[in-house]
Amino acid sequence: MAASIESLLEEISGVDDPIEELQCLKTALLSIPLRDLRDSVSGQRFNVIFSLLHSDDREQVELCVGILERILMALGPVSLAQNYRAELQGGLTHLNESVKILALTQIGRMVEHPEASTEILNNHDILAATIRCIGEEKIAVAKQAIQSLSKLSHSKPGLDKLFQTDLLQVIKDVMATSDIIRYRIYELVVEISSASPISLGYCARSGFIAQLLGELTGDDVLTRATSIEMVTSLAHTQHGRQYLAQQGIMDKISNMIRGAETDPFSSLYIPGLVKFFGNLAIIDSPQQVCETYPVFQNKVFEMALDPDPSMIGVALDTLGLLGSTVEGKQVFHKTGEKFKAVWLRMSQIAGAGATELRVRSLDAISQLLTLQPEQQTEDLLALTESWFKLLSNQPMDMIRNISTQPFPELHCGAMRVFTAISTQLWGQKLMISTPSFMEFVLDRSAGQTKEAKDAKFDLVGSLVCSSTAAEILGSQHYIRLKSYLREGPYYVAAVAAVSTEGAD
């Protein structure tokens, strides 16, 4: 096979229009398993393919990119760094975005490898060109540049090169291009900062994080909304949260929520502030966050009752996120009538309105009602039962009616609510006491999409795995549920065709 690749390369170099030969080479390369390809391509020189990238013929360029993707993935990072460094550097300034992405992807591979990374770190021009790709018009190119550069945070030499040489000025120059590019640089900074406390230290000392945090309270509300997303990403790591706490950012965001009452444009950034605390609560402690920053919980409740769909959606997601934990359930329960009003609103949204909000409400309801077997204390079971019965006068019928409406996502959302209560004793008792409910569960004709079948299967599986289901539902239903589970989600019963003698 190595010989045939070599002969194809010779043919390509000897013709003016190599499209057919390139297609043959691509087919030959794809026919070889990647694990065997290294032996076939090692020792070959593919400079002719790189040279053919310099063409106005888009088909030729795309073919060359496909061939090089296959070849370069088969070569080790060290071989790449030693043999194709110059060609990849040229790819960074190519007019075609596919060529740029190819070069950036391979540079990312080399940066990750201890030996190959030395070759790249010693090449200032490659790194400078990679940084400049963040300023490219095509977002796919910028994303790949960010991904490749963020891998430099895995080593001290990489961090030193980025932040302690004149590459730092290159980053700042690119950053000054526009608001959009500035936030791409922030994305890189957050990626690097998230890697470790050490890498965060480099980013902090460079001044980038202070600049990002300063934009939280800037005059431009759209900039404020974008910056809060970045800060939320930074808070996903423990060292990131510690840094933000030391800088007083949690208090600042809490004050921003409080001050939003008098800002007519606050609807543009308030959802982001709420998401920040929602993520913080789920990572740390819902109780601690809600008690330390009561304005957060009050704002979530207020947004759930707001007529603005963008506010309602974020509130529902946050209520579901926090309510998925036992601590979150208890925090909401302590608010008494306040949460009751929110819960009734959630029920109202689930029953009528825009489909997207109905689905988000059903998902939040199912998260709030879910209790794992080890969490099912008497008090918590009483709590989830009381919440379920608050949904309507006939909550089982309400959720079942939603599931029969001609929207697959609503059907799945309703099934998730039933799955949430299926492991709880009171839920199983309601199921068996609701007329025709078990027939509804076992009926395979309801919900014909793959997602609907999967959702029904999850409900059946949850019931079968419950230690109390056989006793509560009865042996006949339990045996049918086990058969359903054994047959799988997509089972179709065979229908016998009966022919009648003499029929037309």
Side-chain angles (χ1 to χ4, degrees), residues 62-139:
E62 294 296 341
L63 272 171
C64 290
V65 168
I67 288 166
L68 289 169
E69 278 177 343
R70 187 75 177 163
I71 292 165
L72 299 180
M73 283 305 294
L75 295 173
V78 175
S79 177
L80 278 179
Q82 290 172 347
N83 299 311
Y84 296 109
R85 195 168 63 243
E87 287 83 354
L88 291 171
Q89 184 176 334
L92 295 174
T93 53
H94 198 282
L95 293 176
N96 186 298
E97 68 172 299
S98 299
V99 179
K100 285 191 176 90
I101 291 170
L102 170 69
L104 288 165
T105 303
Q106 299 309 320
I107 287 166
R109 286 181 65 211
M110 290 185 280
V111 164
E112 275 188 305
H113 190 279
E115 192 177 334
S117 67
T118 305
E119 300 269 354
I120 300 301
L121 291 176
N122 288 335
N123 191 316
H124 175 278
D125 292 342
I126 280 188
L127 291 173
T130 302
I131 292 166
R132 291 190 188 100
C133 283
I134 296 176
E136 285 287 328
E137 182 184 350
K138 301 289 186 181
I139 187 64

Side-chain angles (χ1 to χ4, degrees), residues 97 100 104 130-147 149-150 171 174-192 208 211-212 215 226-227 230:
E97 68 172 299
K100 285 191 176 90
L104 288 165
T130 302
I131 292 166
R132 291 190 188 100
C133 283
I134 296 176
E136 285 287 328
E137 182 184 350
K138 301 289 186 181
I139 187 64
V141 175
K143 288 284 185 187
Q144 190 58 58
I146 290 167
Q147 188 178 330
L149 285 166
S150 66
I171 296 173
V174 171
M175 191 179 198
T177 308
S178 69
D179 289 347
I180 291 172
I181 306 305
R182 184 168 79 255
Y183 273 89
R184 289 182 189 172
I185 294 293
Y186 285 146
E187 187 180 336
L188 171 64
V189 168
V190 169
E191 280 283 323
I192 292 174
F208 289 129
Q211 189 176 341
L212 170 61
E215 304 220 24
T226 311
S227 62
M230 298 288 177

Side-chain angles (χ1 to χ4, degrees), residues 7 17 29 72 179 197 203 257 263 270 274 278 289 313-314 334 343 351 362 386 403 428 448 463 480 488:
S7 63
D17 184 10
L29 291 168
L72 299 180
D179 289 347
C203 293
I257 294 175
D263 185 352
I270 273 291
V274 166
V289 170
V314 173
K334 283 180 188 174
W343 183 257
L362 287 167
S386 70
S403 80
Q428 292 171 6
Q448 290 303 301
L463 284 167
R480 290 178 67 194

Side-chain angles (χ1 to χ4, degrees), residues 189-217:
V189 168
V190 169
E191 280 283 323
I192 292 174
S193 297
S194 299
S196 70
I198 291 171
S199 60
L200 186 147
Y202 276 85
C203 293
R205 286 190 294 275
S206 70
F208 289 129
I209 298 182
Q211 189 176 341
L212 170 61
L213 297 179
E215 304 220 24
L216 275 176
T217 49

